[in-house]
Amino acid sequence: GRRPCEGGGGEAGVPERAGTATMAATTAASVAEDPPISVVVVFMAMIEEAEPLIAALGLQPRPLDAEGHFQRFSGSLEGSDGARGEVHLVLPGRESCPPGHPPVARVGTVPAAVATFAALSLLSPHLLVNAGTAGGFSSRGGGGVGG
């Protein structure tokens, strides 16, 4: 028989359109049953890119982990339906490298993965948003992001 990766339809023996309709109906049903989103985590790599969001939402610094490896800024928001929710902005933090030098942001895949894992484990969010400038600030000679 045909393998699932090969073209020509959806599930085995089901035309692609029928499979898509079934998937859409299943997705719509699961969305209708989902509880409201009341805890949101926004992950960013650097405080410089997070500062506008921190200010706009009035977020306050709070510890994320007991050791203080990561930065967290938290606050509450009210939805259009009047429901209240929590928003937490999480960053991998900064470190002096080498010791005695000004701290630099922990950027890269490993700090991002560890900080995101900590946020998911400790805050149990309903929604995780990964946001950032993905290249740098043009005003600082960074990549082509922002103009």
Side-chain angles (χ1 to χ4, degrees):
R2 193 171 41 93
R3 294 187 300 175
C5 298
E6 295 174 355
E11 302 172 45
V14 178
E16 189 167 344
R17 287 180 191 251
T20 303
T22 302
M23 183 173 60
T26 303
T27 301
S30 67
V31 169
E33 296 170 9
D34 285 344
I37 295 172
S38 61
V39 180
V40 176
V41 167
V42 178
F43 175 82
M44 291 182 159
M46 297 173 57
I47 189 69
E48 292 85 356
E49 60 191 8
E51 286 171 340
L53 186 59
I54 292 167
L57 298 179
L59 304 179
Q60 299 299 312
R62 296 205 172 86
L64 176 62
D65 60 313
E67 296 81 20
H69 293 295
F70 312 106
Q71 292 177 290
R72 173 173 67 142
F73 297 84
S74 299
S76 62
L77 296 175
E78 186 172 327
S80 59
D81 61 355
R84 305 244 355 127
E86 304 170 23
V87 63
H88 305 277
L89 189 143
V90 175
L91 302 136
R94 301 171 85 77
E95 64 182 299
S96 294
C97 188
H101 285 75
V104 295
R106 293 184 189 122
V107 295
T109 56
V110 172
V114 174
T116 301
F117 176 79
L120 292 172
S121 299
L122 298 170
L123 301 173
S124 301
H126 299 118
L127 177 66
L128 171 68
V129 178
N130 184 2
T133 58
F137 294 96
S138 58
S139 64
R140 294 187 179 179
V145 176

